[in-house]
Amino acid sequence: MPKTLLMCPPRFFDVEYEINPWMHVDNPVAPEQARREWDALYELYVGRLGWEVLLIDPVDGLPDMVFTANGGLVIDARVALPQFRQPERQGETQHFRRWFEERGFRKIYEPSHDFEGEGDALLWNHVLFAGSPWRSDKPSHPELAEFFDREVISLQLVDARFYHLDTAFAVLDRQTVALYPGAFTRESVERVKAIVPRVIEAETRDALAYGLNSISDGDDIVLSDRACGLIDHYRGIGKRVWPT
């Protein structure tokens, strides 16, 4: 089933501060390369997969707006906006709110606790898996449950390199998710396995290659071309894989 995605061109993308273990101001973005890679991803989504891509204008001084998954969680035309913990990203919320409002979204909620959108909350069938504590607070999970009227399963991340849920957890289809066990408490992994029929466990090298920071429509999966183990596994279960 075709997906609808939101992207933000990397016009102002840069490393201007450090808010996760991967960011280093002495290792700046290569702007031309970033734009080429962004264009290639856009073309893959639209030209090869036939997905719809909507755009939000980038804002100077907000370099992380390119990570649009953090800009909100959308389920059934309801939008939960982000409540960013880091001051450097808090200015993004007003721009994402305006974008949703201008496109007719009326049921918009801003949690009172820290919450970073789809980066920390992934929908699997009728269940919402929600992560904490690096960027989102666990008390935001009951807020999501009430607003979306969904069951929310809280998952605790324990490795700061995997600071968002979507860096260590991926929804593949109605029967399958993939995760990196080393990013979670044992209890969290057991919660997932108690609900999801098929749980694929990623190896450390694939997780560190950001192989789980992927996207799937159930048949096609787009992920890092360095996550070789996951690529082979997905192909082995009949998925169409698009390494990038």
Side-chain angles (χ1 to χ4, degrees), residues 108-244:
I108 299 177
Y109 177 70
E110 190 169 336
S112 59
H113 297 88
D114 292 341
F115 171 66
E116 295 203 2
E118 195 172 340
D120 262 336
L122 294 169
L123 185 65
W124 177 77
N125 297 329
H126 257 55
V127 175
L128 188 61
F129 289 105
S132 67
W134 303 114
R135 293 296 190 86
S136 297
D137 288 333
K138 189 174 180 179
S140 70
H141 298 174
E143 295 185 77
L144 301 175
E146 182 176 358
F147 178 64
F148 290 115
D149 191 23
R150 301 272 178 155
E151 178 185 6
V152 175
I153 304 297
S154 297
L155 304 178
Q156 183 179 344
L157 295 156
V158 295
D159 185 333
R161 294 174 299 178
F162 304 95
Y163 51 91
H164 278 138
L165 180 66
D166 71 355
T167 66
F169 187 100
V171 174
L172 303 186
D173 59 37
R174 297 182 65 84
Q175 301 294 319
T176 315
V177 304
L179 57 79
Y180 173 52
F184 299 94
T185 63
R186 183 179 62 183
E187 293 77 12
S188 294
V189 175
E190 290 174 351
R191 287 190 196 111
V192 176
K193 290 183 175 181
I195 297 172
V196 181
R198 179 164 58 182
V199 178
I200 297 171
E201 296 189 4
E203 297 180 1
T204 300
R205 61 184 178 182
D206 285 346
L208 292 175
Y210 261 38
L212 291 159
N213 193 221
S214 59
I215 186 166
S216 171
D217 64 4
D219 298 309
D220 296 279
I221 303 172
V222 179
L223 77 163
S224 167
D225 60 5
R226 294 182 296 139
C228 300
L230 283 174
I231 291 170
D232 290 343
H233 194 118
Y234 294 161
R235 285 174 173 158
I237 61 173
K239 301 298 183 183
R240 293 188 294 266
V241 184
W242 303 87
T244 184

Side-chain angles (χ1 to χ4, degrees), residues 5-201:
L5 311 177
L6 177 62
M7 294 181 70
C8 178
R11 191 182 314 152
F12 303 115
F13 179 44
D14 206 348
V15 181
E16 299 178 2
Y17 43 79
E18 299 178 6
I19 59 173
N20 70 56
W22 306 92
M23 298 177 74
H24 303 286
V25 294
D26 58 353
N27 185 23
V29 168
E32 293 182 4
Q33 180 179 349
R35 183 69 204 212
R36 286 195 302 270
E37 293 176 350
W38 188 95
D39 288 343
L41 187 62
Y42 178 92
E43 177 57 30
L44 172 59
Y45 288 154
V46 175
R48 302 294 298 277
L49 295 174
W51 296 351
E52 180 183 19
V53 174
L54 308 177
L55 300 176
I56 185 171
D57 291 331
V59 177
D60 194 5
L62 297 174
D64 283 346
M65 274 188 70
V66 293
F67 302 112
T68 50
N70 308 148
L73 175 65
V74 183
I75 303 174
D76 297 334
R78 293 172 176 258
V79 182
L81 290 170
Q83 184 72 256
F84 287 107
R85 179 174 299 169
Q86 277 75 15
E88 295 88 347
R89 298 200 64 181
Q90 290 171 359
E92 297 177 31
T93 301
Q94 62 180 317
H95 298 286
F96 283 110
R97 174 185 283 276
R98 184 179 304 116
W99 188 92
F100 284 114
E101 289 176 341
E102 289 175 351
R103 279 146 191 85
F105 288 88
R106 294 293 175 260
K107 296 178 180 179
I108 299 177
Y109 177 70
E110 190 169 336
S112 59
H113 297 88
D114 292 341
F115 171 66
E116 295 203 2
E118 195 172 340
D120 262 336
L122 294 169
L123 185 65
W124 177 77
N125 297 329
H126 257 55
V127 175
L128 188 61
F129 289 105
S132 67
W134 303 114
R135 293 296 190 86
S136 297
D137 288 333
K138 189 174 180 179
S140 70
H141 298 174
E143 295 185 77
L144 301 175
E146 182 176 358
F147 178 64
F148 290 115
D149 191 23
R150 301 272 178 155
E151 178 185 6
V152 175
I153 304 297
S154 297
L155 304 178
Q156 183 179 344
L157 295 156
V158 295
D159 185 333
R161 294 174 299 178
F162 304 95
Y163 51 91
H164 278 138
L165 180 66
D166 71 355
T167 66
F169 187 100
V171 174
L172 303 186
D173 59 37
R174 297 182 65 84
Q175 301 294 319
T176 315
V177 304
L179 57 79
Y180 173 52
F184 299 94
T185 63
R186 183 179 62 183
E187 293 77 12
S188 294
V189 175
E190 290 174 351
R191 287 190 196 111
V192 176
K193 290 183 175 181
I195 297 172
V196 181
R198 179 164 58 182
V199 178
I200 297 171
E201 296 189 4

